Amino acid sequence: MGIETSCDETAVAIVTGDKRILSHQILSQKEHEIYGGVVPEVAARAHLHHIDHMVEAALGEAGVSLPDLSGVAVTAGPGLIGGVMVGVMTAKAMAAVHDLPLVGVNHLEGHALTVRLVEDVAFPYLLLLVSGGHCQLLVVEGVGAYRRLGTTIDDAVGEAFDKTAKLLGLGYPGGPAVERAAAGCADVKAARKKFPLPLPLVGREGCDFSFSGLKTAVRRMVELRVQETPGAKDVPGLPEDDIAAMCASFQLTVADILCDRAGNAIAEYLKGDPAAPALVVAGGVAANKVLRAALEGLAEKNGLRFVAPPVKLCTDNGAMIAWAGVERLRLGLTDAPDFPVHARWPLDPDAPVASRKSERI
Amino acid sequence: MSLRTLRIKDEEDMRVLAVRLAQILKMGDVLALRGDLGAGKTSFTRSLVNALAPSEEEVPSPTFTLVQVYERQKPAIWHFDLYRIEEEQDILELGWEDAIRFGVTVVEWPERLGSLMPKDRLEIDIQFVPDSENERDVSFVPHGRWVTRRMTDE
């Protein structure tokens, strides 16, 4: 069983060692379109309110009872500490009562290993984790062994999509909204020429990302267009074609940035001479077809297999934590009943600091 | 109430301003950062956190995590982004009371604070300059004890 309460979702799932997902319960965040964002489930009490019910639902869906489990895995960080505590205390109580092995999982490790729940991918593989809160390139060398090649200096890529959608008056979540609008653009090349955007860090060494400047550039692009358009006072006053073209330009710009940085990471990863080189893309942003096609092309060009787990396993969920638990249990990596929780918990504590300064070297 | 506005010419200029402000910060201080998306609130905070860090440190956007705590600094710096928050109660759950008592607090989208807004605070408003890409107008609006406090950059 895997329990995830580190962020906006309360999720519990049960998976087997032979990669079957017996249950997959997620209580999702409340979406509020008026704010152009998600109202986060900050309150630990909300997780507390739901967790027992979710555990029961997961057991019911799987048709098993607690003593049947071979172990309980739970996110022990990073995340909002109140929520993490709720999951961890629940897991510890169940493990204590039924004498089950206990595994404290790093949330990011859950994302990193998920692909092995659905595909046979051997270590080491290169992982691009792109979501609302993360944008990282990691070499997954094994369970518990991660080498971070790059991360975002400022905003995550999902955040760039959300904020661009907001600036363009599109709905939430920003990723699908921008993708939908961009699909209405007939001439992508012309769109890019008409609405050029900067490519932060592209062409430089290293694998770090920066999306904050892009956000500011999108803002400026939108404002200029409003000024240039006769009769348009604000964004809703802009012609639909312009919105579509701006979205298309933004999307391709993000694709170029991801491919440039991932390209550097591939070169670094291949230095280790992996037996079965693979690029794994995880996180909600991987659902974007334009980005996915660009990354797939990049992998192919470099002789890497391209794998992306299904979207329902890419966003936060319990199955990824359960699977990380399976991987850890197999290696005998269980935790004592007093294991701590962590608000901050990098997968690779030795990674060099990502900053503009380090990129300039 | 005094108000002071500075014209900042680029990101480096903004960094220098943040570094100078960092020098006078002490336990219990609250900086309320206002400004639209992309104005440079997080970038300003990054410079501030790094000015007080023993060695360079990653300062990612807190939009998703809601709060980031930098504990290598003494006192710790709490960086809140309340953009996604809608209930005051939720802000308390993020450790707000510890932050304003024992830390230096930097808060983006302070309008979400409602009745939790501290009496003593320095509001920093970062505004775009029309027709300029890199320039910003930064206004300082002191409240409570900040009104009589000396700022080194004045």
PDB file of all heavy atoms in Angstrom, chain A residues 185-195 248-249 252:
ATOM      1  N   CYS A 185      -3.781  27.415 -34.119  1.00  0.00           N
ATOM      2  CA  CYS A 185      -2.830  28.210 -34.902  1.00  0.00           C
ATOM      3  C   CYS A 185      -2.491  27.484 -36.204  1.00  0.00           C
ATOM      4  O   CYS A 185      -1.970  26.370 -36.175  1.00  0.00           O
ATOM      5  CB  CYS A 185      -1.572  28.469 -34.080  1.00  0.00           C
ATOM      6  SG  CYS A 185      -0.286  29.297 -34.997  1.00  0.00           S
ATOM      7  N   ALA A 186      -2.785  28.128 -37.328  1.00  0.00           N
ATOM      8  CA  ALA A 186      -2.622  27.464 -38.624  1.00  0.00           C
ATOM      9  C   ALA A 186      -1.150  27.429 -39.061  1.00  0.00           C
ATOM     10  O   ALA A 186      -0.681  26.448 -39.623  1.00  0.00           O
ATOM     11  CB  ALA A 186      -3.465  28.172 -39.671  1.00  0.00           C
ATOM     12  N   ASP A 187      -0.428  28.503 -38.815  1.00  0.00           N
ATOM     13  CA  ASP A 187       0.958  28.581 -39.284  1.00  0.00           C
ATOM     14  C   ASP A 187       1.889  28.839 -38.091  1.00  0.00           C
ATOM     15  O   ASP A 187       2.091  29.971 -37.664  1.00  0.00           O
ATOM     16  CB  ASP A 187       1.080  29.710 -40.319  1.00  0.00           C
ATOM     17  CG  ASP A 187       2.452  29.719 -40.981  1.00  0.00           C
ATOM     18  OD1 ASP A 187       3.383  29.081 -40.432  1.00  0.00           O
ATOM     19  OD2 ASP A 187       2.591  30.367 -42.029  1.00  0.00           O
ATOM     20  N   VAL A 188       2.439  27.755 -37.608  1.00  0.00           N
ATOM     21  CA  VAL A 188       3.234  27.827 -36.385  1.00  0.00           C
ATOM     22  C   VAL A 188       4.523  28.631 -36.598  1.00  0.00           C
ATOM     23  O   VAL A 188       4.958  29.383 -35.726  1.00  0.00           O
ATOM     24  CB  VAL A 188       3.539  26.398 -35.882  1.00  0.00           C
ATOM     25  CG1 VAL A 188       4.416  26.437 -34.661  1.00  0.00           C
ATOM     26  CG2 VAL A 188       2.242  25.667 -35.579  1.00  0.00           C
ATOM     27  N   LYS A 189       5.113  28.452 -37.768  1.00  0.00           N
ATOM     28  CA  LYS A 189       6.362  29.165 -38.064  1.00  0.00           C
ATOM     29  C   LYS A 189       6.144  30.677 -38.068  1.00  0.00           C
ATOM     30  O   LYS A 189       6.923  31.438 -37.498  1.00  0.00           O
ATOM     31  CB  LYS A 189       6.898  28.730 -39.432  1.00  0.00           C
ATOM     32  CG  LYS A 189       7.959  27.657 -39.320  1.00  0.00           C
ATOM     33  CD  LYS A 189       8.740  27.553 -40.613  1.00  0.00           C
ATOM     34  CE  LYS A 189       9.763  26.432 -40.474  1.00  0.00           C
ATOM     35  NZ  LYS A 189       9.921  25.673 -41.705  1.00  0.00           N
ATOM     36  N   ALA A 190       5.071  31.076 -38.721  1.00  0.00           N
ATOM     37  CA  ALA A 190       4.749  32.503 -38.792  1.00  0.00           C
ATOM     38  C   ALA A 190       4.428  33.039 -37.397  1.00  0.00           C
ATOM     39  O   ALA A 190       4.813  34.161 -37.044  1.00  0.00           O
ATOM     40  CB  ALA A 190       3.566  32.726 -39.726  1.00  0.00           C
ATOM     41  N   ALA A 191       3.757  32.219 -36.587  1.00  0.00           N
ATOM     42  CA  ALA A 191       3.391  32.621 -35.229  1.00  0.00           C
ATOM     43  C   ALA A 191       4.643  32.936 -34.425  1.00  0.00           C
ATOM     44  O   ALA A 191       4.712  33.910 -33.683  1.00  0.00           O
ATOM     45  CB  ALA A 191       2.593  31.504 -34.561  1.00  0.00           C
ATOM     46  N   ARG A 192       5.636  32.096 -34.623  1.00  0.00           N
ATOM     47  CA  ARG A 192       6.863  32.265 -33.861  1.00  0.00           C
ATOM     48  C   ARG A 192       7.620  33.524 -34.284  1.00  0.00           C
ATOM     49  O   ARG A 192       8.268  34.184 -33.484  1.00  0.00           O
ATOM     50  CB  ARG A 192       7.741  31.046 -34.087  1.00  0.00           C
ATOM     51  CG  ARG A 192       8.643  30.876 -32.934  1.00  0.00           C
ATOM     52  CD  ARG A 192       8.730  29.504 -32.456  1.00  0.00           C
ATOM     53  NE  ARG A 192       9.623  29.543 -31.326  1.00  0.00           N
ATOM     54  CZ  ARG A 192      10.546  28.661 -31.087  1.00  0.00           C
ATOM     55  NH1 ARG A 192      10.663  27.624 -31.873  1.00  0.00           N
ATOM     56  NH2 ARG A 192      11.319  28.781 -30.040  1.00  0.00           N
ATOM     57  N   LYS A 193       7.519  33.828 -35.577  1.00  0.00           N
ATOM     58  CA  LYS A 193       8.162  35.016 -36.112  1.00  0.00           C
ATOM     59  C   LYS A 193       7.452  36.270 -35.605  1.00  0.00           C
ATOM     60  O   LYS A 193       8.072  37.264 -35.261  1.00  0.00           O
ATOM     61  CB  LYS A 193       8.095  34.966 -37.637  1.00  0.00           C
ATOM     62  CG  LYS A 193       9.396  35.359 -38.283  1.00  0.00           C
ATOM     63  CD  LYS A 193       9.336  35.100 -39.755  1.00  0.00           C
ATOM     64  CE  LYS A 193      10.693  35.367 -40.387  1.00  0.00           C
ATOM     65  NZ  LYS A 193      10.724  34.962 -41.769  1.00  0.00           N
ATOM     66  N   LYS A 194       6.131  36.178 -35.580  1.00  0.00           N
ATOM     67  CA  LYS A 194       5.313  37.316 -35.172  1.00  0.00           C
ATOM     68  C   LYS A 194       5.428  37.567 -33.666  1.00  0.00           C
ATOM     69  O   LYS A 194       5.419  38.695 -33.209  1.00  0.00           O
ATOM     70  CB  LYS A 194       3.860  37.015 -35.544  1.00  0.00           C
ATOM     71  CG  LYS A 194       2.924  38.196 -35.440  1.00  0.00           C
ATOM     72  CD  LYS A 194       1.573  37.827 -36.066  1.00  0.00           C
ATOM     73  CE  LYS A 194       0.529  38.900 -35.855  1.00  0.00           C
ATOM     74  NZ  LYS A 194      -0.797  38.411 -36.293  1.00  0.00           N
ATOM     75  N   PHE A 195       5.502  36.485 -32.911  1.00  0.00           N
ATOM     76  CA  PHE A 195       5.557  36.597 -31.443  1.00  0.00           C
ATOM     77  C   PHE A 195       6.786  35.884 -30.894  1.00  0.00           C
ATOM     78  O   PHE A 195       6.667  34.847 -30.248  1.00  0.00           O
ATOM     79  CB  PHE A 195       4.289  36.007 -30.824  1.00  0.00           C
ATOM     80  CG  PHE A 195       3.025  36.705 -31.225  1.00  0.00           C
ATOM     81  CD1 PHE A 195       2.114  36.078 -32.056  1.00  0.00           C
ATOM     82  CD2 PHE A 195       2.761  37.997 -30.784  1.00  0.00           C
ATOM     83  CE1 PHE A 195       0.937  36.727 -32.440  1.00  0.00           C
ATOM     84  CE2 PHE A 195       1.596  38.649 -31.166  1.00  0.00           C
ATOM     85  CZ  PHE A 195       0.688  38.015 -31.997  1.00  0.00           C
ATOM     86  N   ALA A 248       0.993  29.112 -29.422  1.00  0.00           N
ATOM     87  CA  ALA A 248       1.843  28.229 -30.229  1.00  0.00           C
ATOM     88  C   ALA A 248       3.301  28.614 -30.071  1.00  0.00           C
ATOM     89  O   ALA A 248       4.181  27.756 -29.920  1.00  0.00           O
ATOM     90  CB  ALA A 248       1.424  28.292 -31.693  1.00  0.00           C
ATOM     91  N   SER A 249       3.563  29.928 -30.096  1.00  0.00           N
ATOM     92  CA  SER A 249       4.931  30.411 -29.944  1.00  0.00           C
ATOM     93  C   SER A 249       5.484  30.023 -28.565  1.00  0.00           C
ATOM     94  O   SER A 249       6.610  29.536 -28.438  1.00  0.00           O
ATOM     95  CB  SER A 249       4.970  31.927 -30.136  1.00  0.00           C
ATOM     96  OG  SER A 249       6.266  32.406 -29.877  1.00  0.00           O
ATOM     97  N   LEU A 252       6.217  26.192 -28.353  1.00  0.00           N
ATOM     98  CA  LEU A 252       7.424  25.786 -29.076  1.00  0.00           C
ATOM     99  C   LEU A 252       8.674  26.295 -28.377  1.00  0.00           C
ATOM    100  O   LEU A 252       9.718  25.638 -28.386  1.00  0.00           O
ATOM    101  CB  LEU A 252       7.386  26.310 -30.512  1.00  0.00           C
ATOM    102  CG  LEU A 252       6.497  25.496 -31.450  1.00  0.00           C
ATOM    103  CD1 LEU A 252       6.498  26.124 -32.835  1.00  0.00           C
ATOM    104  CD2 LEU A 252       6.986  24.045 -31.545  1.00  0.00           C
TER     105      LEU A 252
END
